[in-house]
Amino acid sequence: MKILYALFVAAFAALAIVPFAAPWLQFVLTIAIAKGFAAVGVALLLRAGLISIGHAMFYAAGAYTAAFIVLRSGISDLFVLLIASTLVTAVIGALVGAYLVRYRAIFFAMLNLAVSMVFFALLSKLYGITGGTDGLRVPVPTVLGMTLTKAGFDIVLFYVALALMAIIAGLGVQFLKSPLGHAVGAIHTNEVRLEYLGVSAWTVLLIAYTISAALAGLGGAIAAVSIGHVLPEYAYWTESGHLVLTAVLGGIGGVAGPFIGSIFLEIVHTVAVGVAHNAWNLIMGATLLLVIFFLPQGLYGLVTKSADKTSSAKLGENKS
């Protein structure tokens, strides 16, 4: 376990020097981390055996909330936008989840898809409120009252996103170790037994669904202020599918998995477009197939296996 933590600390340190060592990666990683938050939310539901093909609506809700606050109220502080967007999407998630978590399997997946497409249609058609298919422009926010240039703000946003990733990862690990975290997994393995123990599966799932929506909203808000523009496509079903793919690719065995999957996907996509812009889909598809066939536990499984092998080798050296 110590080696695994050491690997994560080393990876975190490597990410921290990106703005200076490889500035072209800074924006890519900011978006990857933003989508990683949403993928963590999807992974949380996957632990309960539920697939959401509609979580992009919460990602979009967070992005549009940030845009509305800046444009309608004039409040433009970065931290206010992130907190408010997270809270608003948590409320939306609780309201939507109160109805959806009563369903399981394909019904849960399709209902999430249906609700998200209704949300997408509203964003596209309500031109006077959402800007329609043109979307809304998001001005550069201030940071604790300071007005920064776009380049300076992007660096600050990158480190804020990085810090939030570490905080969410730490809180996520504690959540999975808690009785509530174990109850989420128990719904997948034996929901009936959980009910016999006096634990309401509906309540557990509603809490998990609300948390997952809040995480997606946080990611959407980060993406909105980073890109500077929000569009209805944020809520489109392909984005929801992308989040599920990211969670599965990264692995749901640990909180770090979805973040690893998101960073991996964004880097492969950027490199593939740069190397062969006419065949980047082929490169992406081949890469995904290789990971799916040879890493059934996702990239997180590869990291944990490597850490276990290193730990075993060191233990053997100490015994000899």
Side-chain angles (χ1 to χ4, degrees):
M1 188 60 75
K2 288 182 180 178
I3 292 178
L4 185 61
Y5 284 135
L7 284 175
F8 287 141
V9 171
F12 189 81
L15 290 175
I17 63 172
V18 161
F20 308 101
W24 64 274
L25 259 180
Q26 179 185 300
F27 175 76
V28 174
L29 290 178
T30 303
I31 297 302
I33 293 172
K35 291 183 178 178
F37 285 118
V40 169
V42 173
L44 178 60
L45 295 177
L46 284 174
R47 292 179 73 91
L50 298 175
I51 300 175
S52 171
I53 319 177
H55 250 54
M57 66 178 159
F58 300 117
Y59 188 76
Y64 272 87
T65 299
F68 285 147
I69 292 174
V70 175
L71 297 175
R72 311 295 186 199
S73 72
I75 298 173
S76 62
D77 187 81
L78 172 65
F79 295 101
V80 173
L81 297 180
L82 296 183
I83 293 171
S85 299
T86 304
L87 292 176
V88 168
T89 48
V91 172
I92 297 173
L95 294 174
V96 175
Y99 171 70
L100 294 185
V101 297
R102 294 185 298 171
Y103 297 90
R104 301 290 184 270
I106 190 65
F107 303 103
F108 178 82
M110 297 309 294
L111 282 170
N112 270 278
L113 174 62
V115 174
S116 72
M117 290 311 293
V118 169
F119 190 69
F120 168 76
L122 291 173
L123 292 178
S124 302
K125 301 299 181 184
L126 298 176
Y127 189 87
I129 301 174
T130 65
T133 54
D134 294 334
L136 297 172
R137 188 180 68 84
V138 184
V140 178
T142 58
V143 180
L144 299 176
M146 295 182 291
T147 302
L148 304 175
T149 62
K150 177 64 174 140
F153 172 78
D154 286 342
I155 293 176
V156 171
L157 179 63
F158 173 76
Y159 284 111
V160 169
L162 204 58
L164 286 174
M165 181 176 70
I167 293 170
I168 293 299
L171 292 175
V173 170
Q174 295 305 315
F175 173 81
L176 294 179
K177 290 179 180 177
S178 69
L180 186 58
H182 288 296
V184 172
I187 290 175
H188 181 42
T189 55
N190 198 326
E191 182 177 340
V192 175
R193 184 174 295 177
L194 191 68
E195 293 279 359
Y196 277 138
L197 291 173
V199 179
S200 167
W202 181 85
T203 303
V204 171
L205 281 179
L206 180 59
I207 294 172
Y209 195 91
T210 303
I211 293 173
S212 70
L215 289 172
L218 174 61
I222 292 174
V225 296
S226 177
I227 297 171
H229 202 100
V230 295
L231 290 167
E233 279 72 16
Y234 280 35
Y236 201 52
W237 71 270
T238 53
E239 288 299 318
S240 296
H242 180 86
L243 296 177
V244 175
L245 176 64
T246 300
V248 173
L249 188 69
I252 62 172
V255 182
F259 285 116
I260 295 172
S262 184
I263 292 173
F264 176 80
L265 271 180
E266 289 298 324
I267 291 178
V268 169
H269 176 256
T270 303
V271 172
V273 170
V275 172
H277 65 276
N278 289 325
W280 68 269
N281 275 324
L282 180 64
I283 296 173
M284 285 286 291
T287 305
L288 295 179
L289 285 175
L290 287 174
V291 173
I292 291 170
F293 281 133
F294 295 105
L295 298 172
Q297 295 181 335
L299 295 170
Y300 182 78
L302 176 65
V303 174
T304 53
K305 282 182 181 177
S306 300
D308 289 342
K309 284 183 180 178
T310 306
S311 180
S312 299
K314 283 195 173 184
L315 191 61
E317 289 177 2
N318 293 334
K319 285 183 178 178
S320 63

